[in-house]
Amino acid sequence: MSELSVQLYSVRDAFAADPAETLRRLAALGFTQVEPYGVVENVEALRAGLPANGLTAPTAHARLIGADQAAVFAAAAELGIGLVIDPLVKPEQWQDPAGIAATADALNAAAKVAAEHGVSVGYHNHWWELQARIDGRSAFEVFADQLDPAVGLEVDTYWATAGGEDAPALLRRLGDRVRAIHVKDGGLATDASGQVPAGQGRVPVAEVLAAAPDALRVVEFDAYDGDLFEAIAASHAFLTGAGR
């Protein structure tokens, strides 16, 4: 089983209020890895809080296109983060081949800067990259074909499903370009409402995991109508109890 991680954005309010306690609570749930966001902004809290709680951060989210990339990658390298993932490029950039190519070119260029710091670059999808079609293919796959092999993908399997894609089939097509997956579940609303612990919604979680056996599994919630730590614990229990 690929080890589990958890996206800190899931508990962003708690983390903003008390990062040390938030990291302690996640470690107490059984996590040994987390996926931070805002690497530069949160570097001090992470520098202290990760080792204090026996946590590592193999991946992180940070805006790369149009950002001070050297600062992001320097902070990532300091924290031991190997893969820095741009979390979002707006929907209008995925509607035509020129927009897709521009995004691929920007991340390919970022990968060269990252390599100077011993770090890699990735991209994380929402639903719109799968919903947009170019000659019958999703914009996301058209994009993936234009990436330097050094650029990885983090497939958000909830958003891919919400975008109308068969997520397990997508993962199989993308193969080892998928370095990590976001594992989340729910009713597939694109406003993030109705998200539930893994295994309780409409995402075919078992099939998703089988389709990307070597990818890091990152538990995430964009929103949850209840106690987020309880929901994260339920996802952890499902993923580990299922023997995956």
Side-chain angles (χ1 to χ4, degrees):
M1 184 193 79
S2 175
E3 286 192 67
L4 295 180
S5 183
V6 57
Q7 166 58 261
L8 292 181
Y9 183 79
S10 306
V11 289
R12 54 197 176 275
D13 293 338
F15 185 77
D18 192 337
E21 174 62 10
T22 300
L23 293 173
R24 185 199 67 77
R25 291 183 69 182
L26 292 172
L29 294 179
F31 288 97
T32 59
Q33 301 179 116
V34 296
E35 184 173 82
Y37 60 94
V39 174
V40 173
E41 298 85 344
N42 293 312
V43 65
E44 292 185 13
L46 295 166
R47 183 191 296 125
L50 293 176
N53 292 285
L55 296 167
T56 60
T59 62
H61 279 199
R63 186 171 65 87
L64 297 176
I65 298 175
D68 181 350
Q69 294 175 2
V72 172
F73 298 136
E78 178 187 349
L79 295 169
I81 295 165
L83 180 66
V84 179
I85 299 160
D86 195 305
L88 182 153
V89 171
K90 292 181 179 180
E92 53 265 30
Q93 288 296 113
W94 300 93
Q95 304 308 311
D96 59 70
I100 295 167
T103 299
D105 288 347
L107 289 179
N108 289 341
K112 293 180 171 58
V113 180
E116 297 172 3
H117 298 268
V119 176
S120 297
V121 163
Y123 181 73
H124 162 274
N125 64 283
H126 285 74
W127 70 90
W128 50 78
E129 301 95 334
L130 286 308
Q131 203 171 65
R133 314 300 289 188
I134 305 294
D135 295 329
R137 301 177 73 214
S138 74
F140 189 59
E141 289 184 84
V142 173
F143 162 73
D145 285 349
Q146 298 178 50
L147 292 175
D148 186 293
V151 180
L153 297 172
E154 178 175 62
V155 176
D156 188 306
T157 56
Y158 175 94
W159 289 137
T161 308
E165 196 66 55
D166 179 330
L170 173 68
L171 292 168
R172 288 191 291 269
R173 290 195 300 272
L174 293 172
D176 60 9
R177 286 179 285 183
V178 180
R179 301 272 299 278
I181 57 175
H182 271 182
V183 181
K184 62 189 181 193
D185 211 343
L188 305 182
T190 55
D191 66 357
S193 62
Q195 292 186 2
V196 296
Q200 298 181 20
R202 294 175 56 193
V203 177
V205 177
E207 291 85 353
V208 159
L209 300 178
D214 298 323
L216 177 69
R217 290 101 184 264
V218 184
V219 173
E220 190 197 26
F221 289 82
D222 298 289
Y224 182 66
D225 186 18
D227 185 296
L228 277 161
F229 288 93
E230 291 181 0
I232 290 168
S235 285
H236 186 281
F238 174 81
L239 294 167
T240 56
R244 288 185 283 270

